[in-house]
Amino acid sequence: MVTDHKQIGEALLQVNNVSLSFGAVQALSDVSFEVREHEILAIIGPNGAGKSSMLNVINGFYTANEGSIVYKGISRAKMEPADVARNGVSRTFQNIALFRGMTTLDNIMTGRNTKMHRNFIWQAIYIGPARNEELEHRRKAEEIIDFLEIQAIRKTPVGRLPYGLQKRVELGRALAAEPELLLLDEPMAGMNTEEKEDMCRFILDVNEEFGTTIALIEHDMGVVMDISDRVVVLDYGRKIADGSPDEVRGNQSVIDAYLGVSRE
Amino acid sequence: MIYRETGQYKATYGADQQLFPIVQDRYFFFAFMAFLVIYPVFFGSDYLFQVVLYPVLGLGLCALGLNILTGYCGQISLGTGGFMAIGAYSFFKITTIFPDLNILIIFIFAGLISALFGILIGLPSLRIKGFYLAVTTLAAQFFVEWCINRSDWLSNYSPSHTIGAPPRELFGFLVMGPEAPGSAKYLVMLFIVAVMTLFARNLVRGRIGRSWMAIRDMDIAAELIGIRPLFTKLSAFAIGSFYIGVGGAMHVMFNLENVDPEAFEIFSTSFPILFMIMIGGLGSILGAYMGAAFIVLLPVLLRNAFPFLGIDIASHVIQHIEFMLFGGLIVFFLIVEPAGLARLWQILKEKLRQWPFPY
């Protein structure tokens, strides 16, 4: 177990009674849970359960109709996605959302953009402060490239990379921002066993080495049960279970949600 | 065989990030720049200057501005002619009000006025995307044309709203106006274009350039990693319009010398410049100049080709053939290489790296 030598702390993020609807469709109703510091939390549930909507609310991309998000003790009802990102939340996407025209290195450097401050006049001149800043961040970007073992594709436009590597680069771009909370939306979707093992290893390493708190959505139950410290289960926009993997595995309503239940 | 990077190791990130990481590229570039300075100054004829060099430099800079906006930041604009007109008329007004002000400073101010207007026109871009945005940028085109035609003050009360290039000196040399020597005008243009191109290159490889490309490639993801869409889009509008404004001012003051508002019509400015970046390559600095050279030189070559081959055709027939060939070539290029001439150049260089042993 990975939990042996890691200290799970207080709640980093609290989701309080969040409801979200699109017209008549109720995507989330009265969902509450918390993400604790340094843990790996998995959010699972059948298709259409509202998992991605939940991440989008946390990101500020959707605004909840009711309820609030408390992040690092500060409550917010509405926040611009860019500001959420600047406060240390980064994420990856279910369908890869890399900047296809740019190289791997540029994608990862873009992840560090919010940490760079030289204005455009310095950047136009380049020599001097802007160059120093660029090189300093290049060094950080290279650390992530080393960590994810993607040195060989540093200068390749990401559009040309195979799917598994693109997922890895996307993780790199999210890590480049040095997040405190990392949201992963189906990081292992569509991967073969070997790629899944690699990805699991990276997720665990990120969690252990950088102490990053991770909330992930995943459909592969084997992976979920193996790597997560806690599991939240959503079904039809409601939270039906919350607990350690073993508790969730034995929960009757979870089994019903996944296998269906006869109403007799 | 000559074009090899074998043995050129980069030991620092600084060395890896330089503009020309391959030594041969660097030598070629400096040789080409030296040629651009020396050859026209000593052997340049008026024909060479007026038909080839001035338009390629002036319109090339405008194309670079549009490429920053459209190629790098993904915001389509059809208002290029309007921004060129703002640059040209601003330059004219400022230089007639302050005749002794250094023209380089006036070019900067002309660009800044154009940039301010660009920010204004860019405001809808936060809500509107793609073709719809292109239509809103038409406002710049038509509003500016209307303004110039209505305001006598802008053209110093000239009856047909015409402006001309006044004689101006730079560091004691006459570089502007009908009396100025061709090579002097050329060198000033080349200097401005070279400096601004270097700045553009630095911008697109730095933080701002990456933000632009992120917005272009995947705006939602860009927002979720902390890039502010409004600021990023408006900065592209501002900087792109700055380049177009300066380019327009140079094109008018050094090349056309006398223009009326019709010169900035959409079919004679906005569209050709859009074609330049499409043919040259969207999102490429070299591509802007390649596209400008292509669009400017192709008619010149076609016009000279028939007499050169000894085929005697009436000039109006040549003109029609020119249009047909021109259209055909544009279609051909867009089908063969949608990424433009800059991409062809890149492929050529990649092939050359391995030549003659491609394995």
Side-chain angles (χ1 to χ4, degrees), chain B residues 202-264:
Chain B
N202 287 338
L203 282 177
V204 300
R205 65 178 168 152
R207 171 173 65 92
I208 288 188
R210 286 192 297 267
S211 302
W212 289 339
M213 289 187 272
I215 289 282
R216 172 195 69 189
D217 284 349
M218 191 68 77
D219 51 354
I220 290 172
E223 209 179 335
L224 291 183
I225 61 171
I227 293 169
R228 296 183 198 282
L230 180 66
F231 175 81
T232 308
K233 286 176 181 174
L234 289 187
S235 69
F237 267 98
I239 293 173
S241 306
F242 181 88
Y243 275 75
I244 296 172
V246 174
M250 286 205 312
H251 186 56
V252 169
M253 291 300 153
F254 290 122
N255 182 27
L256 302 176
E257 304 211 309
N258 268 302
V259 290
D260 50 17
E262 270 83 73
F264 302 104

Side-chain angles (χ1 to χ4, degrees), chain A residues 23-60:
Chain A
V25 180
Q26 191 73 24
L28 294 169
S29 33
D30 203 22
V31 176
S32 304
F33 62 90
E34 57 182 31
V35 187
R36 296 176 194 144
E37 263 178 79
H38 309 306
E39 77 173 344
I40 299 182
L41 174 80
I43 302 173
I44 63 169
N47 286 328
K51 306 179 297 292
S52 293
S53 299
M54 192 65 245
L55 286 200
N56 283 338
V57 171
I58 295 173
N59 264 137

Side-chain angles (χ1 to χ4, degrees), chain A residues 85-189:
Chain A
R86 281 159 195 257
N87 279 320
V89 180
S90 52
R91 79 173 277 184
T92 66
F93 297 83
Q94 188 171 357
N95 308 310
I96 295 172
L98 283 170
F99 308 128
R100 296 179 63 84
M102 297 159 73
T103 62
T104 300
L105 179 64
D106 277 342
N107 266 279
I108 291 172
M109 288 289 278
T110 310
R112 297 196 64 82
N113 260 15
T114 54
K115 302 206 173 294
M116 302 172 73
H117 302 291
R118 292 293 167 195
N119 66 25
F120 71 92
I121 294 176
W122 282 118
Q123 286 183 54
I125 297 167
Y126 190 70
I127 297 165
R131 183 172 182 273
N132 294 338
E133 187 181 47
E134 190 85 359
L135 294 183
E136 180 195 321
H137 287 277
R138 169 84 190 262
R139 201 164 294 124
K140 293 271 173 57
E142 290 288 343
E143 282 171 15
I144 287 161
I145 289 175
D146 285 345
F147 176 79
L148 294 174
E149 297 160 18
I150 46 177
Q151 295 92 336
I153 56 166
R154 194 184 273 128
K155 299 259 171 95
T156 315
V158 291
R160 288 194 213 163
L161 296 175
Y163 180 82
L165 280 179
Q166 290 197 10
K167 280 270 187 195
R168 213 185 280 186
V169 174
E170 205 185 7
L171 177 64
R173 187 182 67 188
L175 285 178
E178 296 172 23
E180 282 169 71
L181 175 60
L182 181 60
L183 308 172
L184 305 173
D185 196 347
E186 300 202 16
M188 277 153 262

Side-chain angles (χ1 to χ4, degrees), chain A residues 157-256:
Chain A
V158 291
R160 288 194 213 163
L161 296 175
Y163 180 82
L165 280 179
Q166 290 197 10
K167 280 270 187 195
R168 213 185 280 186
V169 174
E170 205 185 7
L171 177 64
R173 187 182 67 188
L175 285 178
E178 296 172 23
E180 282 169 71
L181 175 60
L182 181 60
L183 308 172
L184 305 173
D185 196 347
E186 300 202 16
M188 277 153 262
M191 286 185 165
N192 61 30
T193 313
E194 203 173 323
E195 287 169 331
K196 275 184 189 176
E197 281 169 1
D198 280 345
M199 191 49 95
C200 282
R201 186 161 52 83
F202 288 130
I203 291 173
L204 290 172
D205 281 353
V206 168
N207 183 246
E208 280 177 30
E209 283 186 31
F210 306 139
T212 311
T213 311
I214 296 174
L216 64 94
I217 294 176
E218 186 48 57
H219 278 300
D220 187 321
M221 283 308 133
V223 168
V224 169
M225 296 302 161
D226 274 352
I227 68 172
S228 50
D229 300 310
R230 234 152 39 80
V231 180
V232 168
V233 191
L234 298 180
D235 189 28
Y236 292 111
R238 292 172 195 284
K239 188 175 87 169
I240 56 173
D242 183 349
S244 73
D246 287 331
E247 287 164 23
V248 167
R249 208 196 311 251
N251 188 313
Q252 190 56 42
S253 51
V254 175
I255 297 171
D256 290 348

